[in-house]
């Protein structure tokens, strides 16, 4: 089951990234400029952001199986429309729909977290993140190869077939789940902001990932400028070769997940933040150029990728444990903050590069990691399991189980039951009382 869900993540994430490799082919095939063809990638990313905000919260309102199948069918149809687009405007419109509906990976995470026991969530989420990483890397490689041999339409059409086949598999493989919320759609859309306001552990996880992902994005945005500049004089292919080092995270994230299950999210977060600081120091040596500089860039990006992805596993485990009935909305808030951080990091990175070069970019990464580390060291239980805390019933209705007219019990950050007694914590700081996720059958 985990393998099927990991493949779902790979296909969904791959649909976002494969258009990046065939932009020049689209420009030549539709007789438009490369700059105009780049709008296809932008449209896909805009659609994906909109999908996270508008569709992912529905994962708490709709049965997961039917929701995932519907998303994949719509994605497949949008990919077919893109592959058959007669002109650029039609392709841009279809690409927006592809991005909007290919948010399956953001629905799979909350689904998987609810199907396994709390002490296995880290390992499972690490495996899913490994699938997403594989989908991102392989999509770029295979789409470029297919596009060169069969034309730019081939990647879209093959991706459409994969999405529709996967929808058929999931229709039979995913177990039936009961929606955790009966809120109206408009209330679901407003809930992520409300959760950010009321859940301090969510804000903490969002801050960690936003700062680290900002540094990650700054590095990868400016790396091409460094490698193609006078220090190295290499082509864009060099960036792709270094990016392949990211395949190592496909092995590291499941291991990080097991460590989260054993020791809790906070120690893993601490190691990851220190890893980002070390990566910034190693990457700084890349400014020297030459063979040693290239080796430093390769090692530094590998460490940065591993630390960022492993930290994401730790943060997601913490976030999903807050409220078992609102994982879709929690994930919307978390991922939106992460992507906003990444966007800000890319913007800052380019501007720091123009003023201080590669040394300045590495200093920016170090400062961002230091901010996250400072926040982490101020948090209770920064070096181990978080202390047990209780919270009285929320006047807004939090803390009720679905069967009692409310919206479900929080299982980590807010551990008060209806009777006011705290739930007992198990390994990794997860509640083992009310709100415990069932084991997968």
């Amino acid at each position: 089951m985990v393998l099927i869900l990991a493949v779902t993540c790979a296909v969904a994430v791959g649909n976002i990234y494969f258009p990046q490799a065939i932009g020049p082919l689209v420009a030549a095939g539709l007789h438009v400029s490369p700059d105009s063809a780049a709008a296809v990638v932008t449209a896909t990313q805009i659609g994906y952001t909109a999908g996270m905000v508008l569709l992912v919260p529905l994962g708490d309102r709709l049965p997961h199986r039917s929701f995932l199948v519907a998303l994949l069918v719509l994605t497949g149809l949008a990919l077919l429309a893109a592959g058959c687009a007669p002109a650029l405007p039609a392709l841009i419109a279809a690409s927006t729909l592809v991005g909007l509906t290919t948010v399956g990976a953001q629905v799979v995470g909350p689904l998987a977290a609810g199907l396994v026991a709390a002490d296995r969530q880290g390992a499972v989420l690490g495996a899913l993140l490994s699938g997403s990483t594989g989908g991102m890397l392989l999509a770029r490689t295979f789409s470029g190869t297919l596009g060169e041999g069969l034309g730019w339409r081939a990647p879209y059409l093959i991706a459409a077939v994969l999405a529709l086949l996967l929808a058929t598999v999931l229709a039979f493989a995913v177990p039936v789940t009961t929606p955790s919320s009966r809120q109206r759609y408009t209330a679901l859309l407003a809930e992520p902001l409300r959760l950010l306001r009321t859940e301090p552990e969510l804000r903490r996880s969002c801050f960690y990932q936003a700062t680290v992902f900002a540094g990650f994005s700054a590095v990868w945005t400016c790396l091409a400028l460094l490698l193609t500049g006078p220090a190295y004089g290499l082509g864009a292919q060099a960036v792709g070769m270094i990016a392949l080092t990211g395949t190592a995270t496909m092995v590291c994230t499941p291991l990080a997940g097991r460590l989260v299950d054993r020791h809790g999210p906070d120690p893993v977060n601490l190691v990851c933040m220190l890893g980002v600081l070390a990566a910034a120091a190693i990457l700084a040596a890349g400014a020297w150029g030459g063979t040693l500089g290239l080796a430093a860039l390769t090692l530094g990006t590998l460490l940065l990728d591993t630390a960022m992805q492993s930290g994401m596993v730790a943060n997601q485990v913490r976030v999903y444990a807050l409220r078992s009935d609102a994982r879709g909305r929690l994930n919307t808030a978390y991922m939106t903050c992460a992507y906003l951080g990444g966007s800000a990091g890319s913007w800052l990175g380019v501007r720091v590069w123009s003023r201080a070069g590669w040394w300045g970019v590495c200093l920016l990464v170090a400062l961002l990691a230091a901010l996250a580390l400072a926040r982490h060291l101020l948090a209770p239980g920064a070096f181990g399991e978080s202390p047990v805390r209780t919270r009285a019933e929320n006047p807004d209705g939090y803390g009720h189980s679905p069967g009692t007219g409310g919206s479900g019990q929080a299982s980590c950050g807010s551990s008060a039951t209806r009777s006011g007694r705290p739930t007992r914590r198990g390994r990794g700081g997860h509640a083992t009382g009310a709100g415990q996720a069932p084991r997968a059958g």
Side-chain angles (χ1 to χ4, degrees):
M1 184 63 193
V2 173
L3 177 60
I4 294 174
L5 294 179
V7 172
T8 302
C9 292
V11 171
V13 171
N15 291 331
I16 307 167
Y17 288 98
F18 82 76
Q20 295 177 351
I22 58 173
L25 301 176
V26 171
L30 295 180
H31 308 291
V32 298
S33 68
D35 289 344
S36 299
V40 173
V41 175
T42 303
T44 306
Q45 293 172 339
I46 290 174
Y48 186 70
T49 303
M52 282 200 297
V53 175
L54 299 176
L55 296 182
V56 173
L58 285 172
D60 294 330
R61 182 68 175 82
L62 302 174
H64 286 111
R65 182 169 67 183
S66 57
F67 188 35
L68 277 172
V69 170
L71 286 174
L72 284 166
V73 169
L74 291 172
T75 300
L77 294 176
L79 287 165
L80 283 174
C84 299
L88 185 61
L91 178 58
I92 290 174
S95 297
T96 304
L97 292 176
V98 170
L100 180 70
T101 56
T102 192
V103 291
Q106 307 308 328
V107 178
V108 164
L111 164 64
L115 292 177
V116 299
D119 60 357
R120 289 186 57 215
Q121 286 183 5
V124 171
L125 292 175
L128 297 182
L129 187 56
S130 177
S132 297
T133 302
M136 177 182 66
L137 296 173
L138 294 176
R140 289 168 171 162
T141 302
F142 285 117
S143 66
T145 303
L146 287 171
E148 289 286 352
L150 301 175
W152 70 268
R153 298 181 189 273
Y156 282 101
L157 298 177
I158 292 175
V161 172
L162 286 175
L164 294 174
L165 285 175
L166 191 57
T168 303
V169 172
L170 292 181
F172 296 96
V174 175
V176 176
T177 58
T178 302
S180 59
S181 174
R182 296 181 180 179
Q183 288 181 290
R184 292 175 298 175
Y185 178 60
T186 52
L188 286 174
L189 292 182
E191 190 74 358
L193 289 175
R194 186 182 186 185
L195 289 168
L196 279 170
R197 187 177 71 251
T198 59
E199 295 286 355
E201 291 294 273
L202 173 61
R203 294 196 299 272
R204 181 160 73 102
S205 297
C206 289
F207 182 75
Y208 292 169
Q209 196 61 31
T211 50
V212 172
F213 195 42
F216 174 87
S217 299
V219 166
W220 282 103
T221 300
C222 298
L223 184 62
L225 301 175
L226 174 66
L227 291 176
T228 57
Y232 289 93
L234 300 175
Q237 295 85 354
V239 181
M241 294 303 295
I242 292 180
L244 287 178
T245 60
T247 55
T249 61
M250 297 176 64
V251 177
C252 295
T253 50
L255 295 176
R258 295 188 186 98
L259 290 174
V260 173
D261 291 335
R262 184 175 302 171
H263 303 290
D266 283 336
V268 175
N269 271 136
L270 176 61
V271 172
C272 291
M273 292 168 191
L274 293 174
V276 175
L277 283 171
I282 296 170
L283 286 167
W288 297 337
T291 303
L292 290 178
L294 195 59
L297 292 177
T298 303
L299 178 60
T301 53
L302 173 60
L303 181 57
L304 180 64
D305 285 15
T306 301
M308 190 277 291
Q309 299 277 28
S310 299
M312 177 172 282
V313 176
N315 289 326
Q316 284 184 317
V317 169
R318 184 187 297 107
V319 167
Y320 288 157
L322 291 175
R323 283 184 54 188
S324 61
D325 67 302
R327 289 185 175 122
R329 288 160 283 173
L330 288 165
N331 198 44
T332 295
Y334 172 72
M335 292 304 297
T336 300
C337 290
Y339 273 89
L340 287 174
S343 300
S346 296
W347 184 85
L348 281 172
V350 171
R351 278 144 188 82
V352 170
W353 166 270
S354 65
R355 290 168 173 79
W358 184 249
W359 293 101
V361 173
C362 295
L363 179 59
L364 173 64
V365 175
L367 289 174
L368 290 168
L371 285 174
L373 182 61
R375 173 64 183 88
H376 184 69
L377 295 177
L378 293 174
F383 298 96
E385 293 187 10
S386 299
V388 176
R389 292 175 297 169
T390 61
R391 183 173 70 184
E393 283 186 322
N394 190 300
D396 295 323
Y398 295 175
H400 297 283
S401 64
T404 59
S407 60
Q409 171 61 38
S411 60
C412 180
S414 51
S415 54
T417 64
R418 283 194 60 131
S419 61
R421 293 174 298 176
T423 55
R424 179 171 55 85
R425 294 206 175 238
R427 292 191 307 168
H430 301 291
T432 56
Q436 173 68 51
R439 291 184 179 273

